[in-house]
């Protein structure tokens, strides 16, 4: 009982000490949610009967959005998460204050918990107490539960979960550093390093792996990695999904568990944190080298790629890489020691980071990975699919989507466009892979010539993309440039004349008579509808499919 009473008293004293943060949080959330909702609700109540339905629905949606995904409220919560963390643990960065706080007859973990819990509970209560009257104002104005529903409370839940994660991330930076400015820089690194590294990785692949192809699956994986790579990007990704009507409870639970794990790590660091760390850049000496390496090498690679884009020579590539390595390493050493004269300390680390960065760049430049020259073993390829960018670029891929209007509730139909690659590479299954592999060999020859010519692109060339479905279930894609040659033309004729290619390239061949409700003919004018009944449309579709399957490349070129 004594421990609980003491903890409660300490929490009250902490709130008094940070009264300015309480006031700032109240003002921020009030101006982000309560006041805008009050203004918009009053405006909605003052609308006359002559106001259009569109204007009414627009105001209702604005009020509903203010109560759920409110951009200004997100900014306020993100700012509050940083300020509450800094204000709660800034004493650790001042030697006099840390001596005073640790002289209080309270265990370290209790002192940590008091400051940590207050930074979540107080903003959470303020947010909740200001959200309730905001929702009541909306109901009073006539914004029904059919539009608002549970969204404000769901939004409150995920906003507070991600607020806690961002807050704990900043607390982690405060534990690992001994200076407030460095802690803020560390928070920025925690939030931006993951997305930056993923973006740099795909930039590296796009720059050096000439045959790299961003398939729909890789694009989805890229987005998933991006949203999971940092607390901030995960927050933005959840907001985007919530706006689309998705509320992933399991994902939110995982964020909650991650926050608890970070909080436990912060508590352990707090107990092990040396008193003399106050005023230093890094509180733990063992973390300096890993952090430095993880920052210097990506910066060096980015510098090297930037200079290579400006001037495509190996000299400028190495210059940019070394320049980025030296600048970033020296800057980090200055920050670590708070001394400009220490910029060239730890020269061995500088040399190792520089060598690793240069090797990474040269490996990409000269394809030491063998990525662009790789051709699979035919016995390990179950099937293949191929997409030519030129021959069938007139085909339109997509589907008809039924959409309900948010304003008048009417059902409308829209054409959802799909990419040729998404359709062809997934729908096509070429069992005869020998002409595909021969095409890949021609593509590899072209890439070798391109590397000899310092990556210069022949803009009269064309693309073709190959996707191999391996016997182990893995799918591998490559994209090649080629100039028109008789050998390639002949290989293309062999592929085109197969029924598997046509089935995977032309969606019309998979349509049934029940799916066709109208036929239109279009040349260079407005589409003209063909007057035909169901039986005639069925016969027309059947005849068209039959003739198209029989069409050869030779006949197509002649006609």
């Amino acid at each position: 009982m004594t421990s609980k009473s003491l903890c409660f008293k300490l929490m009250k004293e902490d709130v008094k000490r940070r009264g300015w943060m309480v006031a700032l949080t109240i003002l921020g959330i009030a101006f982000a949610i309560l006041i805008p909702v009050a203004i918009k609700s009053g405006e909605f109540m003052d609308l006359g009967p002559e106001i259009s339905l569109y204007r009414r629905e627009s105001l209702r949606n604005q009020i509903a959005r203010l109560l759920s995904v409110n951009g200004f409220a997100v900014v306020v919560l993100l700012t509050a998460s940083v300020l509450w963390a800094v204000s709660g643990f800034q004493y650790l960065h001042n030697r006099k204050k840390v001596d005073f706080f640790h002289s209080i007859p309270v265990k370290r973990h209790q002192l940590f918990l008091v400051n940590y819990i207050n930074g979540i509970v107080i903003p959470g209560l303020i947010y909740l107490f200001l959200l309730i009257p905001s929702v009541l104002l909306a109901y009073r104005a006539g914004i029904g539960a059919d539009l608002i529903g549970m969204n404000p409370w769901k939004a409150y839940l995920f906003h507070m979960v991600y607020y806690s994660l961002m807050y704990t991330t900043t607390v982690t930076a405060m534990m690992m550093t001994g200076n407030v400015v460095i802690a803020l820089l560390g928070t920025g690194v925690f939030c931006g390093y993951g997305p930056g590294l993923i973006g740099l990785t795909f930039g590296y692949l796009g720059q050096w792996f000439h045959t790299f192809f961003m398939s729909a699956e890789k694009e989805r994986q890229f987005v998933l990695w991006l949203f999971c790579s940092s607390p901030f990007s995960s927050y933005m990704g959840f907001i985007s999904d919530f706006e689309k009507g998705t509320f992933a409870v399991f994902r939110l639970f995982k964020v909650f568990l991650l926050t608890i794990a970070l909080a436990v790590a912060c508590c352990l660091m707090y107990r092990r944190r040396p008193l003399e760390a106050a005023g230093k850049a890094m509180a733990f000496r063992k973390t300096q080298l890993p952090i430095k390496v993880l920052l210097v090498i990506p910066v060096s690679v980015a510098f090297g790629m930037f200079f290579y884009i400006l001037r495509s020579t190996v000299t400028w590539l190495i210059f940019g890489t070394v320049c980025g390595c030296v600048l970033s390493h020296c800057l980090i050493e200055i920050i670590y020691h708070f001394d400009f004269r220490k910029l060239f300390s730890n020269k061995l680390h500088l040399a190792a980071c520089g060598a690793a960065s240069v090797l990474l760049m040269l490996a990409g430049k000269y394809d030491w990975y063998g990525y662009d020259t790789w051709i699979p073993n035919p016995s390990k390829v179950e099937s293949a699919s191929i997409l030519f960018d030129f021959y069938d670029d007139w085909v339109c891929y997509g589907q008809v989507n039924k959409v309900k209007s948010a304003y008048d509730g009417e059902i409308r139909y829209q054409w959802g466009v799909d990419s040729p690659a998404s359709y062809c590479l997934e729908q096509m299954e070429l069992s005869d892979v020998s002409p595909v592999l021969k095409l890949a060999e021609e593509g590899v020859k072209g890439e070798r010539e391109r590397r000899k010519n310092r990556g210069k692109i022949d803009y009269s060339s064309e693309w073709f993309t190959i996707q191999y479905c391996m016997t182990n279930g893995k799918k591998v894609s490559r994209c090649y440039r080629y100039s028109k040659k008789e050998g390639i033309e002949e290989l293309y004729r062999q592929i085109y004349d197969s029924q598997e290619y046509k089935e995977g390239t032309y969606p019309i061949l998979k349509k049934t008579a029940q799916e066709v409700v109208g036929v239109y003919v279009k040349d260079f004018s407005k589409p003209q509808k063909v007057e035909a009944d169901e039986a005639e449309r069925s016969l027309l579709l059947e005849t068209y499919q039959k003739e198209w399957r029989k069409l050869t490349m030779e006949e197509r070129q002649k006609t």
Side-chain angles (χ1 to χ4, degrees), residues 297-310:
I297 292 180
V299 170
S300 305
V301 170
F303 266 71
M305 290 171 58
F306 175 74
F307 276 88
Y308 186 79
I309 291 172
L310 295 178

Side-chain angles (χ1 to χ4, degrees), residues 298-467:
V299 170
S300 305
V301 170
F303 266 71
M305 290 171 58
F306 175 74
F307 276 88
Y308 186 79
I309 291 172
L310 295 178
R311 189 77 172 90
S312 300
T313 62
V314 178
T315 303
W316 283 105
L317 173 67
I318 296 175
F319 170 79
T321 306
V322 173
C323 180
C325 181
V326 171
L327 288 177
S328 57
H329 186 277
C330 291
L331 180 61
I332 291 173
E333 289 294 339
I334 293 171
I335 292 174
Y336 278 174
H337 298 94
F338 290 137
D339 188 352
F340 186 78
R341 294 170 297 178
K342 296 286 187 178
L343 76 166
F344 282 113
S345 60
N346 293 317
K347 295 179 182 177
L348 181 61
H349 298 169
L350 173 62
C353 289
S357 302
V358 169
L359 286 174
L360 272 173
M361 300 306 287
L362 293 178
K365 166 67 178 173
Y366 294 109
D367 192 25
W368 292 347
Y369 309 101
Y371 185 89
D372 290 338
T373 57
W374 176 82
I375 296 177
N377 187 330
S379 62
K380 295 182 179 181
V381 181
E382 184 175 338
S383 63
S385 52
I386 189 166
L387 171 67
F388 290 88
D389 74 316
F390 176 75
Y391 290 101
D392 296 303
D393 58 351
W394 53 272
V395 183
C396 184
Y397 298 95
Q399 62 283 325
V400 176
N401 298 322
K402 186 186 292 186
V403 180
K404 184 178 181 180
S405 174
Y407 299 111
D408 53 20
E410 291 186 3
I411 301 297
R412 294 184 174 87
Y413 294 92
Q414 295 179 351
W415 178 255
V417 179
D418 199 1
S419 67
S422 299
Y423 184 88
C424 296
L425 298 183
E426 296 302 321
Q427 297 293 327
M428 191 184 304
E429 293 183 2
L430 300 175
S431 55
D432 183 9
V433 298
S434 56
V436 177
L437 293 176
K438 289 178 182 178
L439 272 176
E441 291 174 2
E442 294 294 329
V444 168
K445 291 178 184 178
E447 288 302 325
R448 284 174 177 161
E449 290 295 325
R450 182 180 170 188
R451 287 185 181 273
K452 289 180 181 179
N453 296 328
R454 297 181 179 179
K456 292 181 180 179
I457 298 174
D458 178 12
Y459 289 99
S460 64
S461 61
E462 296 163 4
W463 287 99
F464 66 88
T465 304
I466 298 174
Q467 179 172 278

Side-chain angles (χ1 to χ4, degrees), residues 68-69 150-151 153-159 162 224 227 234-252:
S68 57
V69 180
M150 293 296 294
N151 282 345
W153 317 115
K154 289 180 180 178
Y156 173 80
L157 177 61
F158 87 76
H159 279 316
Y162 274 101
L224 179 62
F227 284 152
S234 180
Y235 190 14
M236 296 300 105
F238 199 96
I239 289 175
S240 176
D241 291 341
F242 186 78
E243 287 181 318
K244 297 174 184 176
T246 303
F247 188 75
V249 178
F250 182 68
R251 177 178 167 186
L252 210 58

Side-chain angles (χ1 to χ4, degrees), residues 522-541:
K522 179 181 179 181
D523 43 21
F524 296 101
S525 59
K526 186 178 180 180
Q528 300 293 323
K529 186 174 183 178
V530 177
E531 296 298 333
D533 58 23
E534 184 177 351
E536 290 171 334
R537 291 196 300 267
S538 176
L539 179 60
L540 179 59
L541 176 63

Side-chain angles (χ1 to χ4, degrees), residues 10-11 135 165 201 246 283 333 342 368 380 502 507 509 524:
L10 287 173
M11 290 178 72
V135 174
L165 178 61
T201 300
T246 303
E333 289 294 339
K342 296 286 187 178
W368 292 347
K380 295 182 179 181
K502 292 175 181 176
L509 296 180
F524 296 101

